[in-house]
Amino acid sequence: MAGNDLATLPDFPAEIRAPAGTPHGVSAFQIRIADHEVTTPGDAPDVLLAMNPAALHSELGRLLPGGMVILNSDAFTDKNLTKAGYNADPRTNGDLDNYSVVELPMTDLTKRACEPFGIKPRDAERSKNFFALGVLSWMYHRDVELVRTWIDSKFANREQVRQANRAALDAGYALGETSELVGPWREIRPNAHPEGTYRVVNGNTALAWGLIAAGIKAQLPVFLGSYPITPASSILHELAKHPQLGVRTFQAEDEIAAVSSAIGAAFGGNLAVTTTSGPGLSLKAEALGLAVSVEVPLIVVDVQRGGPSTGLPTKTEAADLLQAMFGRHGECPLPILATSHPGDCFEVAVEAARIAVDYRTPVIILTDGYVANAVEPWKLPDLDAIAEIHPNFATEPNHEVDGSPRFWPFLRDDETLARPWALPGTPGLEHRVGGIEKADGSGDISYDPENHSKMVHLRQAKVDGIAAALPPVTVDGPEDADVTLLTWGSTWGATVQAVADARVAGRSVAHVHLRHLNPFPPNLGEVLKGAKRVLVPELNLGQLTMLVRAKYLVDATAITKVAGQPFTSAEILAQIMDGTNPGSES
């Protein structure tokens, strides 16, 4: 609302009730605001606000050297210091000597601010986050009236909570305004955004809205069959809010039931979706083989997280690419798309729906926990500008057998190789589909070796043929750059920043980003073969690198990270600068 660009990084534990007061129980929220476009939440914050010793212990390492540390001094008791793992008070043992330290008795000041409203001290203490927000609002010249309005709306039915939060916010702001304890007053001026209506979205919300928009453009009801799993569950929560837009959600008893219900919905003429994370994608594998064999439109959303097994449920990773490519039995190809930032999730969802419907195939969308939970400003799209999606349901027989009209469920479109989509119950279009191999055209069960070979090649050719309709990849930078960065998924943001920094330092750098991972865009091989040096940042151990090396025989080098955290731009910049020569700016 202040006109700034922003990016966030939520970081929280997986346990529902993590041990309070210990580093394992710390939840952090990093936000970067700027008067220019930002693509990352920042490598190192300027200010750390720590509500207790555990937060200081856990997060101090992220802070910029010389940065400001704001502490809730009331929480620095001997008991809390011990729980946080401190042998001595970090305020006095030299740990904070390289920082500007501000100590505020936030708990006490919040309780005193709430006392006139008759609020119990324990209940008042819960509002100290708003006290902290008031302090920061003064420091960064934020309009607290916007926050007051939000509080009034959010807690309209809980009067005491509303009063406590407003009182705490105002007390924090007043402290900043009337004292010099919290450092200089700073202003981040508005950014020159293109005109339009904006709101802040996270990736899961944008993806859910993209699915709704696709259903509207296809004039199909949206059906979601889903089993709750972190970090994908909020897609189910969001879609469940919109039955008036033709959305139906089904919370299944397990992952297999979820995907099976979606396959049934697709057969019945819905824009069918199932959402999950990596462990759930494994459980859906057999049913996805059925969907590929039956050739029905289906969207599978995999919000990736750290693995294997339960792994790091609330931390990010992008290590499901090879599972999405090959994690089914038999030759079982399907298209794969990846999202790069929260707003991009909307466009990817619409595009995935278009491919699924046009080509009669399941499509996997790979996103990740960072993109799912991070937020950014997003300009609301013009729905009229989004092209219609045409299901083109079969309405009459399409073949003749012995002079009689028949419907053949696998009589393919010459251009897309898509089979016809006939709604169950359409007179004269009765047909059978299933997991046993079918004869091309008629759909009759067939064990004929030549037919099986033909069907396997047809399903592969259908996916390969999607490439002809894809836009070519664009190269941001000189074609003869010393280094070309190839990215997919959420590595996009840190790479954009790293490339910009490298160019300022005089390096000749190009950047290619992929949305389509199967099939690859038609000119990708030509671009990579012409590059001098190819670096591939990945939140895994080099899965895309393996694919492009195998397909195009290029000497691509992976930059890998599997720490449960997204890349920082500095990490990628260091790899760009290593072994490169200064070049001219393009």
Side-chain angles (χ1 to χ4, degrees):
M1 289 183 175
N4 301 132
D5 205 2
L6 65 106
T8 70
L9 173 60
D11 189 11
F12 47 91
E15 292 81 7
I16 294 174
R17 293 186 64 84
T22 70
H24 298 292
V26 171
S27 291
F29 189 87
Q30 182 172 317
I31 182 168
R32 179 186 182 193
I33 57 176
D35 60 0
H36 55 273
E37 183 181 9
V38 297
T39 60
T40 77
D43 288 3
D46 302 287
V47 176
L48 169 64
L49 195 152
M51 286 295 192
N52 55 40
L56 180 67
H57 187 279
S58 174
E59 305 301 318
L60 184 62
R62 299 191 189 198
L63 190 62
L64 190 74
M68 176 180 289
V69 180
I70 302 176
L71 302 176
N72 176 18
S73 57
D74 289 334
F76 279 71
T77 63
D78 291 342
K79 179 181 178 181
N80 286 346
L81 288 168
T82 300
K83 288 172 67 177
Y86 283 112
N87 296 320
D89 193 328
R91 298 174 297 175
T92 58
N93 70 353
D95 285 1
L96 302 179
D97 286 352
N98 295 325
Y99 304 96
S100 172
V101 180
V102 175
E103 296 190 52
L104 300 175
M106 297 185 196
T107 303
D108 180 62
L109 291 176
T110 300
K111 290 178 180 178
R112 288 163 58 186
C114 295
E115 190 175 3
F117 302 101
I119 298 168
K120 296 179 181 178
R122 184 174 180 179
D123 294 333
E125 183 180 350
R126 296 173 182 168
S127 297
K128 64 180 178 291
N129 56 335
F130 280 98
F131 181 94
L133 182 59
V135 172
L136 292 173
S137 295
W138 180 84
M139 284 180 61
Y140 287 94
H141 194 46
R142 302 288 95 182
D143 183 359
V144 289
E145 187 56 39
L146 295 174
V147 186
R148 294 190 190 106
T149 301
W150 181 87
I151 291 173
D152 290 345
S153 173
K154 179 70 174 178
F155 302 104
N157 297 323
R158 303 172 66 186
E159 180 60 20
Q160 278 203 325
V161 176
R162 186 189 73 84
Q163 290 177 331
N165 289 338
R166 282 189 64 126
L169 175 76
D170 292 343
Y173 192 90
L175 176 69
E177 192 172 35
T178 57
S179 73
E180 298 181 357
L181 294 176
V182 291
W185 182 81
R186 314 165 188 197
E187 182 176 7
I188 311 297
R189 296 189 179 277
N191 185 26
H193 289 290
E195 287 189 7
T197 301
Y198 288 80
R199 65 171 299 165
V200 171
V201 293
N202 65 32
N204 278 359
T205 299
L207 198 146
W209 291 352
L211 294 171
I212 295 172
I216 292 171
K217 287 299 176 179
Q219 298 185 34
L220 295 175
V222 175
F223 175 89
L224 173 67
S226 181
Y227 178 73
I229 183 172
T230 301
S233 299
S234 60
I235 301 175
L236 167 62
H237 302 160
E238 182 62 32
L239 286 175
K241 298 176 183 177
H242 303 289
Q244 76 281 7
L245 295 176
V247 179
R248 297 294 179 267
T249 54
F250 169 57
Q251 181 173 317
E253 65 268 30
D254 56 41
E255 296 282 4
I256 299 171
V259 66
S260 298
S261 68
I263 292 171
F267 179 69
N270 290 255
L271 181 60
V273 186
T274 187
T275 53
T276 190
S277 188
L281 187 62
S282 303
L283 292 169
K284 295 179 190 291
E286 182 181 2
L288 285 180
L290 172 64
V292 169
S293 176
V294 173
E295 301 185 40
V296 291
L298 173 66
I299 301 169
V300 182
V301 180
D302 175 12
V303 187
Q304 300 166 96
R305 70 190 205 189
S309 189
T310 306
L312 304 174
T314 61
K315 309 300 181 181
T316 197
E317 201 164 279
D320 295 347
L321 175 55
L322 293 184
Q323 181 183 198
M325 283 286 294
F326 305 120
R328 296 165 296 281
H329 63 281
E331 294 290 343
C332 193
L334 46 75
I336 303 169
L337 289 78
T339 66
S340 56
H341 56 93
D344 185 54
C345 292
F346 179 92
E347 296 181 13
V348 170
V350 174
E351 188 164 350
R354 189 181 311 281
I355 291 173
V357 171
D358 286 350
Y359 292 86
R360 310 289 195 254
T361 179
V363 178
I364 291 180
I365 297 175
L366 293 178
T367 180
D368 64 47
Y370 166 49
V371 171
N373 293 308
V375 302
E376 67 181 9
W378 179 62
K379 182 181 176 182
L380 295 182
D382 179 4
L383 288 181
D384 292 335
I386 301 175
E388 302 293 328
I389 300 173
H390 302 289
N392 294 327
F393 290 119
T395 57
E396 57 187 24
N398 57 5
H399 192 67
E400 264 191 23
V401 177
D402 298 329
S404 299
R406 290 273 303 276
F407 174 70
W408 276 16
F410 287 90
L411 195 63
R412 300 178 182 278
D413 179 85
D414 291 337
E415 182 178 348
T416 64
L417 299 181
R419 75 172 186 86
W421 193 4
L423 294 180
T426 305
L429 304 190
E430 296 81 5
H431 63 286
R432 172 180 58 194
V433 294
I436 298 177
E437 188 65 279
K438 282 81 54 185
D440 186 41
S442 68
D444 295 335
I445 291 175
S446 174
Y447 291 95
D448 178 69
E450 291 185 2
N451 177 76
H452 176 60
S453 178
K454 181 180 181 181
M455 292 295 278
V456 168
H457 282 89
L458 278 170
R459 289 189 286 261
Q460 184 64 59
K462 180 167 66 171
V463 174
D464 292 342
I466 295 170
L470 299 181
V473 293
T474 57
V475 180
D476 175 21
E479 294 182 3
D480 61 346
D482 293 331
V483 178
T484 298
L485 278 293
L486 176 66
T487 59
W488 72 279
S490 63
T491 59
W492 169 83
T495 302
V496 168
Q497 183 66 58
V499 167
D501 293 342
R503 289 173 178 166
V504 170
R507 264 44 178 184
S508 174
V509 186
H511 180 204
V512 174
H513 182 76
L514 296 178
R515 171 181 287 179
H516 297 271
L517 301 175
N518 192 40
F520 288 130
N523 66 327
L524 180 61
E526 177 185 354
V527 168
L528 295 182
K529 288 177 181 179
K532 295 179 182 178
R533 181 181 178 217
V534 178
L535 298 179
V536 188
E538 299 193 65
L539 292 174
N540 57 56
L541 295 183
Q543 297 185 15
L544 178 63
T545 309
M546 182 188 302
L547 294 176
V548 297
R549 286 175 68 96
K551 186 173 181 64
Y552 300 118
L553 302 180
V554 296
D555 188 17
T557 301
I559 305 172
T560 65
K561 183 174 183 178
V562 282
Q565 297 289 329
F567 273 107
T568 65
S569 59
E571 290 169 334
I572 297 174
L573 178 62
Q575 296 296 318
I576 295 174
M577 305 296 276
D578 180 28
T580 65
N581 297 314
S584 58
E585 179 74 14
S586 172

